Amino acid sequence: MEHYNYSLGDLLAIMAALRDPENGCPWDLKQDFASIVPYTLEEAYEVADTIERGALAELPGELGDLLFQVVFYARLGEEQSLFNFGDVVQSISHKLVARHPHVFGNADFDSEEQVKANWENTKAEERRAKDAAATSALDDIPRSLPALSRANKIQKRCAAVGFDWRELPPVVDKIREELDEVMAELAEPERDQDKVADELGDLLFACVNLVRHLKQDPEAVLRRANDKFERRFRAVEQALRADGKDSRACSLEELDGYWNRVKRQES
């Protein structure tokens, strides 16, 4: 295939051709707003994975896949006379200018914290303008967000209106308190699984709060922990195969020995 330097206009034209009722792609023609949401989420995670792996040579392709999702939504909107790609560009451009008065206006902020505070205040004003009935700082947080991300967002919104600890010790104390409550439920003679789930949820929520106070992202932190565990477990499997052993036939103490050996080799 001959190489061609495509433009954004070409991409929009390609999308229109894919959705052409007579000559378009059957799969693309079957899609609607709801049906492509899972693909959008998958593409966003693939972008994140590419960055975390440091595979930056792959990033243009992954970002292109993500951009295609935006173009797809815009095409659906245009077909239904709701909005088009130009409206998407207009919306984000207006939002970025409004949220950065220190760059595009006369505002002067002395610190990153002031910039963040202005960002949250501007977003709150936008929410009130969008929905006059909105009364809570937690309005419009998507329920479809991954639970860790939603917990983090809820806590950030609360912090923006002053509902937050200013120091780290009470955050850590809250985790200990929630862990004690989990253990108390587990000690009940007749264990109530709903109560156990509630207490475990409180514990996870408190852990997210600690992660946030340490200025980390809970999704990224847990993905990193998942990757580390997977790397070490694969190394344990490899060591067991080298010794001609089956993990199911090993004692827990023996497996723990392999695990600790892998950890020492990493350090």
Side-chain angles (χ1 to χ4, degrees), residues 66-134:
L66 186 58
L67 175 60
F68 176 70
Q69 302 300 306
V70 178
V71 170
F72 208 140
Y73 289 118
R75 182 63 198 176
L76 294 173
E78 185 171 354
E79 291 172 359
Q80 299 177 38
S81 300
L82 298 173
F83 60 90
N84 58 31
F85 188 80
D87 296 321
V88 175
V89 173
Q90 176 70 15
S91 177
I92 186 58
S93 298
H94 174 78
K95 186 181 296 183
L96 289 172
V97 170
R99 292 182 180 179
H100 294 83
H102 53 299
V103 176
F104 303 105
N106 298 320
D108 185 19
F109 300 130
D110 297 327
S111 67
E112 182 180 350
E113 292 303 316
Q114 289 182 346
V115 171
K116 289 181 178 179
N118 174 76
W119 179 274
E120 292 299 332
N121 290 336
T122 304
K123 287 171 65 177
E125 292 172 5
E126 291 171 358
R127 289 194 295 273
R128 286 192 291 270
K130 184 189 302 182
D131 183 2

Side-chain angles (χ1 to χ4, degrees), residues 194-214:
D194 285 338
K195 289 183 179 179
V196 170
D198 284 343
E199 298 301 344
L200 287 171
D202 292 342
L203 176 59
L204 283 173
F205 194 83
C207 289
V208 170
N209 201 24
L210 175 61
V211 174
R212 180 180 62 85
H213 271 265
L214 295 176

